[in-house]
Amino acid sequence: MTATPPTEHNLRLYIETVGCQMNMLDSELVVGALGKQGYTLTDDAKQADTILLNTCSVREHAEHKIYSQLGRLKHIHRQRPNVVVGVMGCMAQKDQKQIFRRAPHVDLVVGTGQLAEIPRLIEEARHDRKRKLAVSLGRRDGSVQAVSTSFQSYDPLREPQMRPSPWQAFVRIMIGCDKFCTYCVVPTTRGPEQSRPPSDIAREIEVLTDQGVREVTLLGQTVNSYKHTEGGRLFRLADLLELIHDSPGIDRIKFVTNYPRDMGDDLLTAMRDLPKIAHYLHVPLQSGCDDVLKAMKRGYTVAQYREMMHRIRDCMPDCAVSSDFIVGHPGETEEAFERSMDAVREFRFKNNFVFKYSPRPGTKAHELLPDDVSEQDKRRRNNAMLDLSNEICEEDNAEFIGRNVEVLVEGLSKATIKSADPKPPGSAPADSPTGPLQLVGRTRCDRIVVFDGNPRLAGNLAQITIDDATATTLIGRIVTRELQHESPGLLPILG
Ligand code: SF4
């Protein structure tokens, strides 16, 4: 079959995104830029004129999935040679030309710092059919300034369709990382730590609120390390929160991911005093054993993390904290793993993301530390920690039964979408069945709540009474206005 070259009016883009919120935001920016060139999104790769895979390098498994997907795309490329296939993001920066060697049908390899160049590179590749490689400098390939500049990519074009819901948006406030944890590829794939000017961030939030956004999540690899001097004033994250807090239209502000050592009292005080800031912190502990933390080069001990947790809970007793753990890191004995389990019991995280260690080429751990925990032990530890976390989360969520919480309504719940398959969360309910449907929202402490209600509530705050709870979800019902008037003895609003 011979493909007809697309015109600028009927271009279709298929994009697949794996990895973290940073990647979701990168995809939104690229789709925004390509939208300006006349592209529309398709969810069928076979119909697309351009296929982009936005990739993650944090775990080996994610990379394997991308190479398998590239294998499948080979057949589409063979049938429709005009299709442009691109690999973007972390894996592109890390593997570079290796991707062309493993998947010769790939036309573009574009790193995290060159996303703004993608529209031009696609056009060039379509016309000259030559491979395009656009990546940043390696961390040792130039001066700090030159390397930093090569990673700067702040494309301001936003694309509402690519957001978790029309009411929620990510805003990047910094890129890169200088912590160099031994297991992590991020300092290589995202480059040196750089914070954006506060005035640019405030302007971007204004644009988003004009588009109807009510909740922003500020993104940074170590978001609480944010610092930028503007107009002679040093802005840290606490100052930035204060600056954007009163943006008209914004109901809630979150930020991820936090680095334990940079959790300042100024930030905790700002969270306590500014009512729109979520009382939720994602602060990965990674291990409950000091020897493992040292091997990871995390820069803190369990005692220091404990001290931070005390400060958080002294300042905001209702603040939810979640964590990441790596199990099976080199040198993690059974005893070391048990210390991590003890930490899960002690800190009672709102939820835990548990990962089995996998050595990543280009990291110190890969170079210097033998991967000495068997796959079987990693899997067992992973499951044991997830079971324990679920038990704790279920107990803690049960404490909410009978209380009222304030929820920012995101839209239809996954269960509703699955049963009716109407539209993504937060979609306008024009063709939805009449009557209440199951909706989903989050409390100020980032707990997921489902309840029945009119889909038109999406994007608004609602008061919900909690009737039941699982490890992951609170189940409730809307507090009616009558009830609020007639029941002065209602329990206080928590969230
Ligand atoms: S703080 Fe450590 S784990 Fe987090 S992005 Fe930086 S190097 Fe990676």
Side-chain angles (χ1 to χ4, degrees), residues 411-422 425 437-440 450:
L412 302 177
S413 71
K414 274 191 194 149
T416 311
I417 292 168
K418 213 169 157 196
S419 62
D421 191 29
L437 293 170
Q438 192 184 62
L439 307 180
V440 65
V450 295

Side-chain angles (χ1 to χ4, degrees), residues 91 165 364:
M91 221 175 103
S165 83
K364 282 277 176 242

Side-chain angles (χ1 to χ4, degrees), residues 100-114:
F100 294 132
R101 280 197 290 276
R102 286 185 66 173
H105 53 291
V106 168
D107 302 287
L108 312 176
V109 170
V110 184
T112 56
Q114 287 69 35

Side-chain angles (χ1 to χ4, degrees), residues 29-43:
L29 303 180
V30 168
V31 172
L34 289 171
K36 292 267 172 222
Q37 310 268 311
Y39 276 87
T40 53
L41 281 173
T42 170
D43 53 12

Side-chain angles (χ1 to χ4, degrees), residues 206-398:
E206 246 178 71
V207 171
L208 291 169
T209 52
D210 284 348
Q211 294 172 355
V213 167
R214 309 288 297 270
E215 175 188 280
V216 288
T217 302
L218 310 180
L219 298 185
Q221 239 76 43
T222 57
V223 72
N224 57 336
S225 316
Y226 175 88
K227 54 176 183 298
H228 191 98
T229 302
E230 188 170 63
R233 176 182 168 197
L234 174 66
F235 283 80
R236 292 189 177 277
L237 182 56
D239 308 299
L240 180 68
L241 291 176
E242 207 172 310
L243 177 79
I244 62 175
H245 183 265
D246 295 327
S247 306
I250 288 291
D251 283 326
R252 200 171 277 168
I253 300 168
K254 299 194 233 177
F255 50 91
V256 287
T257 288
N258 293 276
Y259 182 64
R261 221 177 51 196
D262 290 344
M263 190 63 73
D265 286 340
D266 60 337
L267 177 58
L268 300 180
T269 311
M271 289 175 73
R272 183 195 62 198
D273 295 344
L274 298 170
K276 293 180 186 171
I277 313 294
H279 280 193
Y280 165 60
L281 289 164
H282 181 62
V283 205
L285 171 59
Q286 303 294 13
S287 170
C289 169
D290 284 342
D291 291 342
V292 176
L293 287 174
K294 197 168 172 194
M296 290 174 166
K297 202 173 158 286
R298 283 292 288 174
Y300 53 84
T301 61
V302 178
Q304 286 166 327
Y305 190 92
R306 182 176 295 116
E307 184 273 334
M308 176 204 73
M309 287 294 273
H310 286 158
R311 284 190 294 115
I312 294 171
R313 292 200 163 141
D314 284 349
C315 190
M316 291 169 288
D318 66 336
C319 187
V321 178
S322 62
S323 179
D324 296 344
F325 279 89
I326 294 173
V327 294
H329 186 273
E332 187 191 65
T333 59
E334 280 303 322
E335 197 195 338
F337 170 67
E338 281 308 321
R339 293 207 181 126
S340 291
M341 295 287 270
D342 289 343
V344 172
R345 285 184 198 98
E346 177 182 351
F347 299 126
R348 301 191 74 86
F349 297 106
K350 178 185 77 86
N351 57 295
N352 280 311
F353 299 92
V354 185
F355 305 102
K356 290 180 289 169
Y357 173 78
S358 68
R360 308 307 302 121
T363 62
K364 282 277 176 242
H366 179 258
E367 207 181 300
L368 303 172
L369 305 173
D371 183 14
D372 56 3
V373 180
S374 70
E375 189 50 38
Q376 197 185 1
D377 283 341
K378 285 178 187 168
R379 203 174 316 125
R380 176 176 49 77
R381 292 176 194 177
N382 182 82
N383 293 343
M385 187 174 276
L386 284 175
D387 287 346
L388 176 62
S389 299
N390 279 344
E391 230 173 84
I392 290 171
C393 295
E394 194 160 350
E395 282 170 16
D396 287 354
N397 278 352

Side-chain angles (χ1 to χ4, degrees), residues 177 179-181 183-184 186-187 221-222 259 286 298:
C177 183
K179 309 293 190 220
F180 290 100
C181 301
Y183 55 83
C184 182
V186 167
Q221 239 76 43
T222 57
Y259 182 64
Q286 303 294 13
R298 283 292 288 174

